[in-house]
C-alpha cells in the first residue's frame, strides 16, 4: 500500500461514516447546534464515537511505534499555543457551519449528489480556502 | 429533545466508522485526516504533494456515490438555505477552517483524540460560534435563513 491508496480508502470509509452518522443532513446539524430549541443530541454520539476510536488507536498502537506502517514518520502537530488565528478561524468556521449546516467533509461527500445547493456551498468553500491562501501571501509580504 | 434511539445509534455507528477511517490514515500514513487541511493543501497545490490529497478527495466523492446507492436517505432531498446564504456559509467555512488550522475532523476528532489543547479550544470555539449563529438565525430572526 502507498500513501495514495491509503488516502483513497480513508476518504471512502470517512464518507460512508459521515453518511450513516447524519452529518450529511444540514437540518440535523443545525438541530444539533440549536441548543435553545428542539436540540438533537445525536451528533454528540458521532463525535464521541469517533474520538474514542481515535484515542484508543493513538494511545494503544501509535504511541508505541516510532513510525507509521507506510512512510518514515508520524506528522503529528506539535503546537500548543492558543493564538488569535486559531480562535478567529474557529469563530468564522462555526458561523458558516451554523449558517449552512455543512462542514468540509460532509459537504464534499454530498457533492456526489450533484445537488446545486451543495455545489454552490462547495464552490464557495473552496473559494474561501483560496482566499485565505491569498490573504496569507499578502500578509507575509507586508 | 425528541430524537429516536435509532438516530442516536446511527450517530454512534457513523462516529465509530469515522474514527476507524481517521485512525487508519494515522497508523498507516502517519497523517492527520483533517478534511480542510488535506483539501486546503491543494489551494494552491505544491508539487509532489498533490496525489494523496486528490485521492482522499476522490475517496470522499466515491463514498458519496456509494451512499447514494446503499443509503440514499443519508442525503436531504431539498436544502432550505438560499444560494446567498450558502455562498456566505461556504466562504466562512473555507476561510475559517484554514485560518484556524482545522475543522470538525482535524480538530474535533483527530485533535481531541490526541488530547490536544489547541484542538479542544478550537472545537469548543466553533461549536459555541455555531450555536450562537443558529440562535440568531432561528430564534432572533425567527426563520430558517
Amino acid at each position: 500500500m502507498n500513501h495514495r491508496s491509503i488516502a483513497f480508502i480513508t476518504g471512502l470509509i470517512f464518507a460512508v461514516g459521515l453518511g450513516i452518522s447524519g452529518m450529511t443532513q444540514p437540518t440535523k446539524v443545525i438541530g444539533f447546534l440549536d441548543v435553545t430549541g428542539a436540540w438533537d443530541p445525536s451528533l454528540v454520539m458521532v463525535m464521541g464515537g469517533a474520538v474514542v476510536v481515535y484515542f484508543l488507536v493513538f494511545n494503544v498502537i501509535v504511541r508505541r511505534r516510532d513510525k507509521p506502517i507506510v512512510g518514515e514518520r508520524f506528522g503529528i502537530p506539535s503546537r500548543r499555543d492558543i493564538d488569535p488565528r486559531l480562535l478567529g478561524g474557529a469563530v468564522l468556521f462555526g458561523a458558516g457551519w451554523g449558517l449552512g449546516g455543512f462542514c468540509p467533509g460532509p459537504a464534499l461527500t454530498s457533492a456526489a449528489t450533484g445537488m446545486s445547493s451543495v455545489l454552490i456551498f462547495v464552490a464557495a468553500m473552496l473559494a474561501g480556502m483560496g482566499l485565505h491562501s491569498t490573504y496569507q501571501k499578502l500578509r507575509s509580504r507586508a | 429533545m425528541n430524537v429516536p434511539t435509532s438516530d442516536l445509534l446511527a450517530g454512534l455507528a457513523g462516529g465509530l466508522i469515522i474514527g476507524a477511517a481517521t485512525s487508519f490514515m494515522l497508523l498507516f500514513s502517519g497523517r492527520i485526516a483533517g478534511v480542510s487541511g488535506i483539501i486546503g493543501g491543494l489551494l494552491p497545490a505544491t508539487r509532489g504533494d498533490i496525489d494523496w490529497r486528490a485521492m482522499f478527495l476522490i475517496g470522499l466523492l466515491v463514498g458519496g456515490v456509494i451512499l447514494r446507492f446503499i443509503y440514499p436517505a443519508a442525503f436531504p432531498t431539498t436544502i432550505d438555505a438560499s444560494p446567498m446564504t450558502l455562498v456566505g456559509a461556504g466562504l466562512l467555512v473555507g476561510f475559517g477552517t484554514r485560518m484556524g488550522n482545522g475543522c470538525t475532523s482535524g480538530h474535533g476528532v483527530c485533535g481531541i483524540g490526541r488530547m490536544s489543547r489547541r484542538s479542544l479550544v478550537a472545537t469548543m470555539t466553533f461549536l459555541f460560534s455555531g450555536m450562537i449563529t443558529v440562535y440568531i438565525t432561528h430564534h432572533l430572526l425567527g426563520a430558517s435563513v
Side-chain angles (χ1 to χ4, degrees):
Chain A
M1 243 186 322
N2 56 33
H3 290 298
R4 284 187 302 276
S5 46
I6 293 165
F8 176 78
I9 294 166
T10 304
L12 191 112
I13 301 172
F14 201 134
V16 171
L18 287 169
I20 290 171
S21 73
M23 291 287 290
T24 46
Q25 298 277 4
T27 49
K28 207 161 174 58
V29 172
I30 290 171
F32 163 69
L33 294 172
D34 192 7
V35 280
T36 65
W39 187 53
D40 178 344
S42 48
L43 298 194
V44 176
M45 307 293 284
V46 183
M47 201 177 267
V51 165
V52 166
V53 173
Y54 201 87
F55 176 85
L56 289 175
V57 171
F58 180 68
N59 285 288
V60 178
I61 308 174
V62 171
R63 268 187 193 281
R64 293 183 187 165
R65 299 180 59 94
D66 46 294
K67 59 181 190 178
I69 293 172
V70 177
E72 286 312 304
R73 57 176 203 94
F74 286 107
I76 292 167
S78 54
R79 282 180 68 175
R80 294 186 50 82
D81 58 310
I82 310 294
D83 61 329
R85 287 173 40 82
L86 181 81
L87 297 174
V91 167
L92 296 179
F93 163 45
W97 193 31
L99 213 51
F102 278 120
C103 55
L108 292 166
T109 302
S110 303
T113 64
M115 290 174 78
S116 58
S117 301
V118 178
L119 299 180
I120 289 170
F121 178 90
V122 168
M125 178 179 86
L126 298 177
M129 289 179 170
L131 218 60
H132 183 263
S133 302
T134 312
Y135 162 78
Q136 280 282 86
K137 214 184 281 173
L138 292 175
R139 244 177 66 128
S140 64
R141 241 182 252 164
Chain B
M1 197 175 132
N2 189 12
V3 175
T5 313
S6 59
D7 277 29
L8 297 174
L9 291 176
L12 180 63
L16 295 173
I17 296 171
I18 294 166
T22 47
S23 301
F24 175 77
M25 177 166 262
L26 177 69
L27 179 60
F28 278 77
S29 269
R31 289 170 175 161
I32 303 300
V35 178
S36 57
I38 295 178
I39 305 306
L42 291 169
L43 302 161
T46 319
R47 270 186 71 175
D49 188 45
I50 297 173
D51 52 355
W52 73 279
R53 295 175 189 274
M55 288 308 283
F56 177 79
L57 176 61
I58 294 168
L60 278 178
L61 292 170
V62 172
V65 172
I66 292 173
L67 280 167
R68 284 184 70 181
F69 285 102
I70 62 167
Y71 186 52
F75 301 109
T77 44
T78 54
I79 287 172
D80 300 333
S82 70
M84 278 311 291
T85 303
L86 291 165
V87 168
L91 286 170
L92 284 166
V93 169
F95 195 93
T97 51
R98 294 304 285 149
M99 183 175 169
N101 287 115
C103 57
T104 343
S105 48
H107 281 312
V109 177
C110 302
I112 292 188
R114 295 193 321 276
M115 299 284 132
S116 149
R117 198 168 65 112
R118 260 172 77 81
S119 291
L120 194 65
V121 170
T123 305
M124 291 299 161
T125 307
F126 66 65
L127 280 172
F128 191 63
S129 169
M131 286 169 185
I132 302 265
T133 304
V134 171
Y135 181 73
I136 294 171
T137 55
H138 284 61
H139 297 285
L140 294 186
L141 303 177
S144 48
V145 175

